[in-house]
Amino acid sequence: MNCCDDLIKTMIAALRHALAENSFTENIAEQLEQQIRSDFGGQSVYIAKLDRDSRRESVLREFDGRNRAEVCRKHGIGKAQFYRYLKGG
């Protein structure tokens, strides 16, 4: 596992815990920042966008035939890209 994966997993785990407890506060955010700085400080991290196939699958799964604009907005894609996904591209 690389640094980027570890960083993302650390952040997601902390956020899920705080949200499950309904306790995400400024203090929790500061603790998360300190943990990330401690564990990953000084490292260069590249976080890739969601891979194309995963995004396409998500878009098609969420599309109900009438919510194209909402799905496009959520996934940050344009109308043309949306229709390419529908065509299989």
Side-chain angles (χ1 to χ4, degrees):
M1 189 170 297
N2 66 33
C3 171
C4 176
D5 292 337
D6 292 340
L7 173 62
I8 292 169
K9 287 182 187 228
T10 297
M11 291 174 60
I12 290 174
L15 292 171
R16 281 187 177 145
H17 176 73
L19 292 172
E21 299 290 319
N22 224 7
S23 64
F24 193 79
T25 62
E26 187 66 30
N27 187 41
I28 298 289
E30 289 172 4
Q31 289 174 4
L32 178 57
E33 179 185 1
Q34 289 173 358
Q35 180 182 355
I36 290 170
R37 288 182 186 281
S38 173
D39 293 348
F40 304 99
Q43 298 183 35
S44 293
V45 177
Y46 172 77
I47 300 174
K49 288 185 177 181
L50 190 61
D51 70 270
R52 189 173 255 163
D53 290 337
S54 294
R55 182 169 51 180
R56 179 180 179 275
E57 289 170 14
S58 294
V59 166
L60 295 177
R61 184 175 48 253
E62 294 171 23
F63 179 56
D64 67 9
R66 296 180 304 204
N67 63 341
R68 178 197 48 81
E70 177 186 336
V71 171
C72 287
R73 204 171 21 260
K74 177 180 177 185
H75 292 279
I77 62 172
K79 189 177 1 177
Q81 183 64 42
F82 174 83
Y83 287 115
R84 277 194 289 275
Y85 285 168
L86 284 181
K87 283 179 61 176

